[in-house]
Amino acid sequence: MERHFFTSESVTEGHPDKLADQISDAILDAIMAKDPNGRVACETFVTTGVCIVGGEITTNTYVEIPGIVRHTIEEVGYTRAKFGFDYENVGVLTAIQSQSPDIAMGVDTGGAGDQGMMFGFACSETPELMPMPIMLAHQLARKLAQVRQTELKYLRPDGKSQVTIEYEGNRPIRIDKVLIAAQHDPNVAQSKIFEDVVEHVVKPTLAPEMLDKNTKYLVNPTGSFSVGGPRADTGLTGRKIIVDTYGGMARHGGGCFSGKDPTKVDRSAAYMMRYIAKNIVAAGLAERCELQIAYAIGEKQPMSVMVQTFGTGKVPDGKIIALVTKLFDLTPKGIIQKLDLQKPIYRQTAVYGHFGRTDLGVRWEDTDSVEALRKEAGV
C-alpha cells in the first residue's frame, strides 16, 4: 500500500495563544457557573506586560474579569517578573459590550447565533478514535508541562511539540520525527536540555514499538528558547484551531471555540459533529468518518449535513446521512441539551485538545448512540 507521512503539533498551556484561550474560557466558565443562559463572545490578546479582553457579553450576573485574568495567568505558571510577563504586574484592559440585539433576536427563539459550517471527525487509529499524530503531540505537550513542575524545574511555561507519523494506507506504522520546543532558563546548556527532554518527556510518552533507529529527535532546533511566552510572541484567542481539533487530519470550518457560549454553533455544532462521527466509528459503520454541518443565523434547522467515510463505510454514506438526521436533534437547542453544554466545563478544554479527551467526562466523547446506530443501520 502507498506510504506517506503526516504531521501534527500541539502546544503547552504557557504558549501565548493557549494562554489567551484559557483566559477567554475561564471568563466563560465564571459566567456559566452563575448564569447558564449568559451570552458570551470574548477574546483575549496578550503581549509583554499587557492583557486585553474584548467582546460581547450579556448576562444577569457579574464576574470580576481582571481577577479571573490574573488567576489564570498565575495557574499557567507566569509567576515571576523575569519571565517578561507575570500575573502580578500585567496590565489588564477590558473592552466589553452587550450582545448585538440583531443577533439576540435570532438566538432567543432557538436559532443559530451565526452562519457558518462546522466539521467533526473520528477514525479507528487510536483508542480515543482520533488521529494518532495529534494525540501523540498532545501527550508530549502535556508531559512537557508536567516535568516542568517536577524533574525539570529549569523549564518555563511556553512549549510546543510536533510528531510526524509514517502511514501505510490509513494505518500508522512508525514515528518518523519528534520535535520538542521547550522554553528554559538561559543558563542551562542545550545538550542537557536535549538529553533531559528525550529521557523525561519523549521516552515515557511514546510507545517503543512505534520508534526505530531511523526516528529523528529535535529539541529546540534553533539552539535556544530562553525568551518565550507573551514576551516573545503575542497571543490571541482562537489562533490554534488545528491544535484544538484534529491536527489537520480533517477539514475545519474556520471558527474557533474558546470564549464562546454554546449558543455559538462554531463551538456547539463542532462538538456535536465530533460526537456523531465518534459514535459512527465506534458502531463499526466506518473506520473513518467526517461530517459537515452548516447553519444560517437565526435558523433552527441546519442548512445541510454531509457525511464522508472515505471508502471505509460498511453502509453507503447516503444511508448514514439519513441515520444522522433521523436519530439526532441538530438544532442549537437540541445540541445544547444533548451534550449538557450550559455548565462551566470549558477552560479544561482550552489546552491539549477539545476532542479525544476521555479524561474530562465531556458528553461529546460519549458513545451512547452506538446501539441505536447499529440497529437503524441493520448491522
Side-chain angles (χ1 to χ4, degrees):
M1 299 181 71
E2 179 190 358
R3 292 196 176 193
H4 64 277
F5 297 89
F6 195 90
T7 302
S8 294
E9 71 160 352
S10 183
V11 298
T12 66
E13 69 264 35
H15 185 280
D17 294 329
K18 273 288 144 222
L19 177 60
D21 285 342
Q22 289 171 92
I23 290 170
S24 294
D25 273 340
I27 294 167
L28 171 63
D29 276 356
I31 293 171
M32 288 285 104
K34 299 178 180 180
D35 178 13
N37 294 309
R39 304 280 170 78
V40 182
C42 124
E43 301 191 8
T44 303
F45 169 90
V46 291
T47 187
T48 305
V50 179
C51 175
I52 302 173
V53 179
E56 296 76 45
I57 297 177
T58 299
T59 178
N60 61 21
T61 190
Y62 170 79
V63 298
E64 209 261 312
I65 290 176
I68 295 170
V69 169
R70 294 183 191 281
H71 180 66
T72 305
I73 293 169
E74 181 184 16
E75 284 194 330
V76 168
Y78 288 107
T79 57
R80 303 176 66 186
K82 66 184 296 182
F83 294 166
F85 186 90
D86 71 284
Y87 76 101
E88 290 181 305
N89 297 300
V90 64
V92 181
L93 306 176
T94 60
I96 304 294
Q97 59 188 356
S98 60
Q99 184 181 65
S100 162
D102 294 337
I103 297 174
M105 183 169 53
V107 179
D108 289 343
T109 58
D114 202 354
Q115 70 176 53
M117 63 281 187
M118 303 83 209
F119 289 87
F121 183 77
C123 61
S124 57
E125 293 178 22
T126 64
E128 300 85 1
L129 303 184
M130 285 283 288
M132 184 176 286
I134 188 64
M135 291 305 295
L136 295 184
H138 285 323
Q139 291 167 20
L140 287 167
R142 187 193 293 265
K143 186 66 172 178
L144 181 63
Q146 177 187 327
V147 300
R148 174 173 63 87
Q149 306 287 349
T150 54
E151 298 101 317
L152 308 182
K153 293 190 176 182
Y154 61 80
L155 295 180
R156 291 179 176 173
D158 199 355
K160 290 184 177 184
S161 64
Q162 189 167 287
V163 179
T164 300
I165 300 287
E166 184 175 3
Y167 281 80
E168 187 175 70
N170 288 329
R171 184 173 66 91
I173 59 174
R174 59 180 291 273
I175 297 171
D176 186 63
K177 295 182 183 69
V178 179
L179 167 61
I180 302 290
Q183 186 190 8
H184 58 87
D185 185 306
N187 297 314
V188 181
Q190 289 299 315
S191 57
K192 176 173 175 54
I193 296 170
F194 181 94
E195 181 181 333
D196 284 349
V197 166
V198 171
E199 188 65 30
H200 294 282
V201 178
V202 177
K203 288 184 177 180
T205 303
L206 302 180
E209 61 270 21
M210 292 294 289
L211 305 171
D212 57 35
K213 63 181 182 180
N214 294 317
T215 301
K216 186 175 181 180
Y217 305 101
L218 297 92
V219 178
N220 293 348
T222 67
S224 180
F225 186 12
S226 61
V227 180
R231 180 184 173 191
D233 189 14
T234 57
L236 294 169
T237 300
R239 203 158 58 175
K240 283 288 176 282
I241 58 176
I242 299 302
V243 172
D244 286 340
T245 53
Y246 307 100
M249 186 73 78
R251 286 173 283 194
H252 197 295
C256 78
F257 302 153
S258 289
K260 295 179 180 177
D261 75 79
T263 67
K264 279 69 173 175
V265 284
D266 275 342
R267 185 168 216 160
S268 54
Y271 287 175
M272 190 65 172
M273 292 303 97
R274 163 62 181 171
Y275 169 76
I276 297 172
K278 184 175 184 180
N279 276 267
I280 288 170
V281 173
L285 302 188
E287 293 180 12
R288 300 169 71 82
C289 181
E290 182 182 77
L291 286 91
Q292 186 207 52
I293 196 165
Y295 289 90
I297 188 168
E299 293 292 319
K300 296 179 182 180
Q301 294 295 335
M303 303 294 287
S304 65
V305 180
M306 180 277 292
V307 174
Q308 185 168 344
T309 58
F310 308 95
T312 70
K314 304 300 186 290
V315 296
D317 290 357
K319 183 172 183 178
I320 295 178
I321 292 175
L323 295 179
V324 168
T325 55
K326 178 180 180 180
L327 295 176
F328 301 102
D329 184 347
L330 300 178
T331 65
K333 182 178 179 180
I335 291 171
I336 290 169
Q337 291 177 343
K338 172 64 179 175
L339 301 184
D340 200 13
L341 296 178
Q342 289 181 306
K343 291 183 176 181
I345 58 174
Y346 296 106
R347 186 192 159 185
Q348 63 182 349
T349 67
V351 284
Y352 312 122
H354 293 246
F355 305 130
R357 298 296 301 278
T358 55
D359 58 313
L360 300 183
V362 291
R363 294 290 303 277
W364 57 89
E365 291 298 322
D366 289 350
T367 52
D368 54 351
S369 292
V370 164
E371 292 306 318
L373 283 164
R374 286 175 177 164
K375 180 179 178 181
E376 289 291 333
V379 298

